[in-house]
Amino acid sequence: MDSRDRLDLERHLLSIRNRIDARLPELCPAEDLPPENLHRSMRYSLLAPGKRIRPIVTVLTAETLGASPDAAIDPACAIEMVHAASLILDDLPVMDNATERRGKPANHIVFGQDISTLAAVSLLNRAYAVLTDAPGLEVAPRLDLVRELTSIIGDGGIVSGQVHDLELTGQIDPCPDQLERMARQKTGALFDVCARMGAIVAGVSGRPLEAVRTFACALGLCFQVLDDLVDGVAPASSAGIDAGEDHQKATFVSSMGSERAKTFSEELVRDAIRALEPIGPAADRMAGFAYYVFESTWRLTSQP
Ligand code: GRG
């Protein structure tokens, strides 16, 4: 990608991100609405400065498959609500016991475990409400969006992935296949549903849907491998979480070593980009985005 294309991509990603960041506060109850501590807790995590990678995948997928980005914004925000809920739950003492997230004290440190658990449940519930009310879409696609989201959150997806993650905790060198299965459920499933929801907004199925799903699953797994690499080397300030906590956990680094994990992440980003070939030049931005995510996260893995 030459520098002009990269600038164009970065501008485009920023414009999507700005739209997401502007819409999220409108979709979340105001802080002064009772119970104030619950709503403050929800907004604290949801509006914290995350990278918004998952909602960007949703909007880019919809655009790539021929839809206007407008109808994809609320579904993308619903995805970010699920992501924020998962981060709150993941940081609890009974899970990863992390004290910092997105460069700030973790939700339960500020609001207590009781309120933060309820805030996570409330964010999840609100995500469904956002989908049922999504503007610019007929009733049938809105129902499809809800169905897709339910299919990846519970025992068929993220929650099961987290259970496997807990089971692997303490095993410092788990078999890479086990770890991959767990990461595909825990992290990959949410990326997958981003693509599926973008395709629903565009009203597209068949081969292009398969292409974007393969892309998203490979990118999600790649992202988890890179996240493990960053946690392994980055100081807390650059990772935005208390990175040391993950050292007790089974990670791709503890399982296969950092050199193999790096190679694996390169293979995965290549797989992701290759998966888009059937779509042709319309997918250039999505491919550029995958490389952009890879490259910017990779840079953090090489910090002293
Ligand atoms: C019911 C949604 C739900 C979850 C319950 C706790 C749990 C089960 C799952 C945890 C899933 C999880 C937190 C996976 C980690 C994924 C990951 C790599 C997170 C970091 O994502 P970034 O870097 O974060 O995109 P930002 O802060 O930039 O958004």
Side-chain angles (χ1 to χ4, degrees), residues 184 191 211 214-226 261-277 286-298:
R184 282 190 184 278
F191 277 74
T214 309
F215 164 86
C217 290
L219 183 62
L221 185 57
C222 174
F223 189 68
Q224 183 61 63
V225 177
L226 289 167
K262 282 186 176 184
T263 314
F264 189 36
S265 70
E266 285 173 312
E267 289 164 7
L268 286 165
V269 76
R270 270 199 291 269
D271 289 349
I273 292 169
R274 200 177 308 115
L276 295 172
E277 279 170 9
M286 271 180 96
F289 172 68
Y291 190 69
Y292 179 83
V293 167
F294 170 78
E295 197 196 20
S296 46
T297 319
W298 175 274

Side-chain angles (χ1 to χ4, degrees), residues 51 54 83 86 90 102 124 162 186 223-224 227:
K51 296 182 286 298
R54 296 155 189 82
H83 175 55
S86 79
D90 197 41
R102 289 177 165 173
L124 266 184
Q162 180 74 357
K186 189 184 81 163
F223 189 68
Q224 183 61 63
D227 192 66

Side-chain angles (χ1 to χ4, degrees), residues 113-237:
Q113 292 185 53
D114 45 5
I115 294 298
S116 70
T117 305
L118 293 170
V121 172
S122 232
L123 280 169
L124 266 184
N125 192 51
R126 191 151 283 273
Y128 292 119
V130 166
L131 294 180
T132 56
D133 294 346
L137 293 172
E138 300 292 329
V139 172
R142 281 188 262 146
L143 184 61
D144 287 343
L145 291 171
V146 172
R147 188 182 298 114
E148 292 296 338
L149 198 61
T150 52
S151 75
I152 62 97
I153 287 184
D155 49 284
I158 304 176
V159 170
S160 285
Q162 180 74 357
V163 171
H164 292 139
D165 193 2
L166 294 173
E167 285 165 358
L168 291 175
T169 300
Q171 286 187 39
I172 52 159
D173 55 353
C175 138
D177 287 352
Q178 269 180 307
L179 207 60
E180 183 175 330
R181 263 197 306 280
M182 179 273 285
R184 282 190 184 278
Q185 279 192 311
K186 189 184 81 163
T187 308
L190 197 54
F191 277 74
D192 181 17
V193 88
C194 293
R196 280 149 70 180
M197 286 172 54
I200 289 170
V201 169
V204 165
S205 58
R207 207 160 169 226
L209 170 63
E210 283 316 307
V212 293
R213 286 193 63 184
T214 309
F215 164 86
C217 290
L219 183 62
L221 185 57
C222 174
F223 189 68
Q224 183 61 63
V225 177
L226 289 167
D227 192 66
D228 286 356
L229 279 159
V230 173
D231 282 357
V233 297
S237 54

Side-chain angles (χ1 to χ4, degrees), residues 51-67:
K51 296 182 286 298
R52 313 294 188 224
I53 288 174
R54 296 155 189 82
I56 289 175
V57 171
T58 307
V59 176
L60 278 181
T61 304
E63 284 180 334
T64 298
L65 298 179

